[in-house]
Amino acid sequence: MMNEPALNGMACTDRDRRDPLLRPGNSNCGGCGMSNLLQMLRRATGERELKMVVPACCAAVTGGSFPESVFGIPAIMSTFASAASVATGVAAVAQLNGEETRVICLAGDGGTYDIGMGTLSAAAERNEDILYICYDNEIYGNTGGQRSSATPAGAATTSTPRGKQETKKDIIGIMAAHRIPYAASISLAHIDDTLRKLQFALDARGFRFLHVLSPCPTGWKSEPAMGIELVRLAVRSGLFPVFEVFDGERYVINIEPEFSNEALMMYLSLQRRFRNTGVTEESLQPNIERYWNYLRLMSGRIVPAKRN
């Protein structure tokens, strides 16, 4: 059986990066969304010179123990809270040396939404020349699977075994409020849109922020082979909006969802983290509708009339 060509056959050609960003032998779980992201990032970067800063998160464990590393580029490990600050220093030194190096922060949801928010906000406010990528598995993945402000309502974690009550923080809205040049959400199930955004963010200057919904079979209690399908279901149902924000004010919706109730039901039923917590597709619909009304207003689209 032949493999289907992906991304117009880019993989394993001269247009592909020779040394992968994530080498074989890494310790990622099967079905990890971060692994898929790094393979996509490899295709987007080509032979660009890169440096990466990784705070405490699953990616830090993935890297392995010094002096070994599974990363195909120079990578610096930092504390949970300091990734954006460390990346700021790396980018400043590269600029002083006249290097074309692009500096990437690769962080999980805990280091982005919660512990690292202070330095993240400060670097964004200063418009540092950094590409910050949050691979969001919605559950402090490498510290036991606790609740975070990225965890969606209704998901069971080790610290919320009956399901989280609060809704998820609007991280793109927060970053857009800093009026950074570029912020976008990424669906790993839509590879052409993903590749375009990664390339745009790598080429742009100033602070750029990408938010990636990253399946975690361990935390989501799902089958490893279902990860990309789960992302697709989240997009189809409207639960995970895919959009861009330029300069904090120009919103562009990239994928129009079906608002499929069946897709939302499938998304919940294929993950055991939502079982026995009382969350249903009906209970999630009002927040989905409210957020999409907000997105349509921000993007200049017509908001549908409210049904009686």
Side-chain angles (χ1 to χ4, degrees):
M1 180 183 294
M2 292 180 62
N3 292 327
E4 292 184 12
L7 300 171
N8 297 316
M10 177 187 290
C12 301
T13 69
D14 290 340
R15 292 183 293 155
D16 202 353
R17 192 181 185 90
R18 281 167 291 182
D19 194 4
L21 299 186
L22 182 65
R23 294 168 175 151
N26 65 78
S27 61
N28 275 357
C29 303
C32 173
M34 184 248 294
S35 297
N36 286 287
L37 168 66
L38 286 171
Q39 296 305 330
M40 290 296 297
L41 188 58
R42 168 188 178 177
R43 264 95 222 194
T45 58
E47 295 302 328
R48 288 182 180 88
E49 186 181 342
L50 302 176
K51 289 185 175 62
M52 189 160 66
V53 177
V54 183
C57 60
C58 289
V61 179
T62 300
S65 303
F66 181 81
E68 308 296 332
S69 173
V70 299
F71 295 127
I73 55 175
I76 301 173
M77 304 297 131
S78 78
T79 62
F80 257 124
S82 65
S85 296
V86 173
T88 295
V90 174
V93 171
Q95 186 180 31
L96 287 171
N97 291 335
E99 300 172 2
E100 291 298 320
T101 301
R102 312 305 282 146
V103 179
I104 299 172
C105 262
L106 182 68
D109 53 289
T112 301
Y113 280 70
D114 296 324
I115 303 176
M117 176 54 76
T119 56
L120 170 60
S121 176
E125 187 269 338
R126 295 190 305 266
N127 196 27
E128 302 288 354
D129 192 18
I130 300 167
L131 170 55
Y132 192 107
I133 303 177
C134 172
Y135 67 96
D136 178 9
N137 57 29
E138 304 184 322
I139 178 170
Y140 276 94
N142 79 331
T143 55
Q146 302 94 337
R147 168 202 188 281
S148 83
S149 60
T151 306
T157 69
T158 53
S159 54
T160 57
R162 295 182 180 176
K164 184 187 168 190
Q165 299 299 308
E166 300 79 13
T167 55
K168 182 170 179 161
K169 190 186 285 182
D170 177 13
I171 193 69
I172 295 285
I174 292 170
M175 299 315 299
H178 288 75
R179 295 181 291 280
I180 57 176
Y182 187 63
S185 56
I186 281 181
S187 159
L188 293 173
H190 298 78
I191 55 175
D192 291 319
D193 185 71
T194 296
L195 184 68
R196 178 184 66 80
K197 288 175 177 171
L198 289 172
Q199 290 175 331
F200 180 88
L202 282 163
D203 289 336
R205 290 288 180 177
F207 197 93
R208 295 90 71 202
F209 182 88
L210 297 177
H211 176 226
V212 184
L213 181 61
S214 179
C216 174
T218 305
W220 293 13
K221 314 297 182 194
S222 58
E223 290 298 321
M226 291 301 296
I228 298 301
E229 183 59 24
L230 287 170
V231 174
R232 186 174 289 109
L233 290 169
V235 174
R236 280 184 59 201
S237 65
L239 190 64
F240 184 72
V242 181
F243 64 104
E244 300 164 286
V245 187
F246 298 87
D247 301 315
E249 57 184 10
R250 185 164 68 87
Y251 281 61
V252 177
I253 296 172
N254 305 120
I255 300 174
E256 189 67 27
E258 302 168 29
F259 298 105
S260 165
N261 212 43
E262 180 187 9
L264 188 55
M265 183 271 289
M266 290 293 291
Y267 181 80
L268 296 175
S269 65
L270 290 172
Q271 303 174 66
R272 284 191 287 117
R273 63 174 174 159
F274 291 116
R275 289 186 187 172
N276 305 317
T277 66
V279 67
T280 64
E281 51 269 33
E282 288 78 15
S283 67
L284 294 178
Q285 288 291 359
N287 278 333
I288 292 175
E289 185 175 339
R290 184 162 42 246
Y291 193 72
W292 271 94
N293 282 342
Y294 166 76
L295 275 184
R296 292 188 196 289
L297 283 170
M298 297 300 290
S299 64
R301 295 194 183 192
I302 298 173
V303 178
K306 193 171 184 178
R307 297 174 185 170
N308 293 320

